[in-house]
Every structure is written in C-alpha cells, then in structure tokens.
Amino acid sequence: MKREQVTVLTLQEKKQEGQKISMVTAYDYPFADLVDRAGIDCVLVGDSLGIVVQGHETTIPVTMDQMIYHTAIVRRAVRRALVIGDMPFLSYRTPEIAVANAGRFLQEGGAAAVKIEALGDQAAVVEALVRAGIPVMAHLGLTPQAVHRMGGYKVQGREEQAAQRLLEEAQTAEQAGAFAVLLEGIPAKLAKAVTERIGVPTIGIGAGPHCDGQVLVLHDLLGLFDRFTPKFVKRYAHLGAEALDALRRFKEEVESGVFPGEEQSFH
Ligand code: KIV
C-alpha cells in the first residue's frame, strides 16, 4: 500500500489509472486515527456529525465553529489521508462568505480541501474558492442540507429532466474547478454517465458501483448508529452492540463487587 500523503492529484491519478478511491467520515481523534491507519484515501469531516454525533434530525443546526473544532481534532490524528472539511448550512451562500469560511477550514482546522453541497448554480462559489487556492469537492444529487426543499431524503435524478440537470451540474462543477464530485442518492445508471462524462473523480454514496470511489458515514459502516439505516449502507461491524455488551458487563461487575479485582488494585 502506498504510504505517501494523499493529495487531490493522487485522486486524479487514481481515476486515470482506474483505481477506486475510498473515503470515510470521521469526527474525533481515535476514529480518525483508525481510518488513516486503515489506508483510506480521504477523511471527510462531514456535517453528518449533526446527526450521528450530536443527535439532531438533520445537518442544518451544525455551525462553522463546530466544524472547525472537529476538523482540527481529526487533523491531529491523520498522517496520510486527504482531510476534507464539510462546509455547513449557509456557510457558502456567496463567494465572499464561502472564501472566508473555507479559509478557516484550512487555517484553523488544518484541512486540505472543503466540500460544498452544490444547490443549483454554485459555479461562482467554486471558482472563488479555487482562485483563493482552496480545493473544493462539489456534492450533487441528494444534498442533505436541502432536506426541506427536497421534501425528505429522497433519491434524486430519477426523471429524465432531473438526470440531465444533474449531468450538467457535474460538468459545470468540473469547469469551475472542482477537484471531485460527490454523488449522493442517485440511480446507478446516472452516476455511471456522470463518471464517464467528467474528467475529475466521482465519489458515490447511494450512487451505485460505477463511481470512481465510494464514501460511507463511519457510524453507519461500523454499526454505531441505528436510528435509521439507508438502503445503500453496508455494515462492516457491529460496534454499537459490542459497546452495549461491555457497558452492561461493567455495570454487573461493579454491582456484584467483581470489579475492581486484585489486578486493578494498589497495595
Ligand atoms: O456529511 C457527510 O458525512 C456527507 C456524506 C454523507 C458524504 O456529506
């Protein structure tokens, strides 16, 4: 496995060489360390932390200060992966606001890139970020910050017109300078068409197998979050169940006097 630092160029090379890109979210030091040690290419400090860490129903309450706090923690653990900070709701409404806030992700959080949910025409925002020297990933399709406009977390781009619009948005994002396009919750056939049509890597979540890479939310992948599980999630572990069992055993041993034993006691 290559150990050198992953950059936006590494991702571009991977697409050209037909190698798949892996990306996982992380929000704290121990898990960011594990993700990095596993050799995952990109760590996304996702605003999904609003749901899986803070317990909100949506990502909308997440603030810039919270994102910077978590990004800086993750950055301290990561040695190899590309750290991408996820810009929260309303933090990139205009090019000026976007540059100021994205700058914080790099300066205070130590991220190497940011992600924005491209709602409609965000070309001017992408261009301003790139001009400012900030690599940007455009998130298209099911964009969770627009949950109220979409009327729920629904698969996007099913109809012909919507699919065409998404294809054009991906091309616009590439022309504006985005280094990658994240495709969420769209039909696999559409994700394939986008992946073939644009020169920058596509990273999919609920977008089928044809993307250049795949991303999952860490807590879904590890079985640490079960309030709801989208169809596209694959569980690779059941850490929530294991943690619950460990905590129950600790409680029982405290109550029965088994813990602490001789080994855990000083004399
Ligand atoms: O916030 C996040 O974790 C994301 C992923 C769902 C891609 O945007």
Side-chain angles (χ1 to χ4, degrees):
M1 184 198 309
K2 283 196 203 159
R3 291 306 303 173
E4 63 264 25
Q5 181 76 50
V6 177
T7 69
V8 294
L9 296 181
T10 320
L11 306 188
Q12 187 64 47
E13 281 163 19
K14 282 197 140 190
K15 173 161 179 134
Q16 276 153 9
E17 289 166 14
Q19 291 173 27
K20 294 280 186 183
I21 298 163
S22 54
M23 176 158 128
V24 171
T25 66
Y27 319 101
D28 62 22
Y29 188 94
F31 279 117
D33 180 45
L34 291 173
V35 172
D36 194 49
R37 280 163 50 198
I40 305 281
D41 295 313
C42 308
V43 179
L44 173 69
V45 187
D47 67 351
S48 49
L49 70 84
I51 298 173
V52 299
V53 174
Q54 297 176 336
H56 292 298
E57 292 291 322
T58 72
T59 57
I60 289 172
V62 178
T63 67
M64 266 303 297
D65 284 347
Q66 291 165 354
M67 290 305 301
I68 298 298
Y69 172 83
H70 285 277
T71 305
I73 291 172
V74 165
R75 185 65 194 85
R76 283 197 280 278
V78 172
R79 285 174 176 44
R80 174 185 171 270
L82 181 76
V83 176
I84 304 168
D86 202 6
M87 299 196 67
F89 186 59
L90 296 185
S91 68
Y92 50 94
R93 285 310 299 152
T94 66
E96 294 72 27
I97 294 173
V99 170
N101 283 322
R104 288 190 65 197
F105 272 101
L106 271 65
Q107 286 194 307
E108 298 171 43
V114 297
K115 172 168 87 59
I116 64 169
E117 290 187 10
L119 317 167
D121 182 16
Q122 292 280 40
V125 167
V126 174
E127 279 165 2
L129 291 172
V130 174
R131 261 201 312 276
I134 303 171
V136 54
M137 175 182 279
H139 181 156
L140 305 179
L142 194 172
T143 46
Q145 290 169 16
V147 58
H148 298 307
R149 195 200 57 194
M150 294 182 299
Y153 297 109
K154 299 196 168 115
V155 173
Q156 303 292 301
R158 280 196 200 272
E159 295 80 29
E160 187 62 37
Q161 239 188 347
Q164 186 55 36
R165 199 166 49 240
L166 192 136
L167 200 50
E168 283 162 15
E169 279 178 1
Q171 287 169 323
T172 304
E174 178 183 18
Q175 280 154 16
F179 74 88
V181 171
L182 191 149
L183 298 172
E184 178 167 356
I186 64 168
K189 194 170 147 213
L190 175 57
K192 183 169 187 282
V194 173
T195 303
E196 288 168 356
R197 227 41 100 73
I198 65 174
V200 295
T202 58
I203 313 284
I205 176 163
H210 308 293
C211 297
D212 297 306
Q214 296 291 330
V215 56
L216 279 180
V217 168
L218 179 87
H219 289 50
D220 289 335
L221 183 163
L222 295 180
L224 282 167
F225 181 79
D226 56 13
R227 211 168 67 210
F228 60 87
T229 307
K231 172 183 161 69
F232 56 75
V233 166
K234 180 166 176 183
R235 287 244 166 109
Y236 288 84
H238 297 90
L239 297 195
E242 258 199 67
L244 186 61
D245 180 54
L247 292 164
R248 285 189 176 135
R249 285 193 291 119
F250 168 73
K251 171 184 151 50
E252 277 165 25
E253 291 198 359
V254 168
E255 288 174 359
S256 63
V258 169
F259 178 84
E262 268 304 302
E263 275 176 42
Q264 294 90 25
S265 302
F266 298 107
H267 294 290

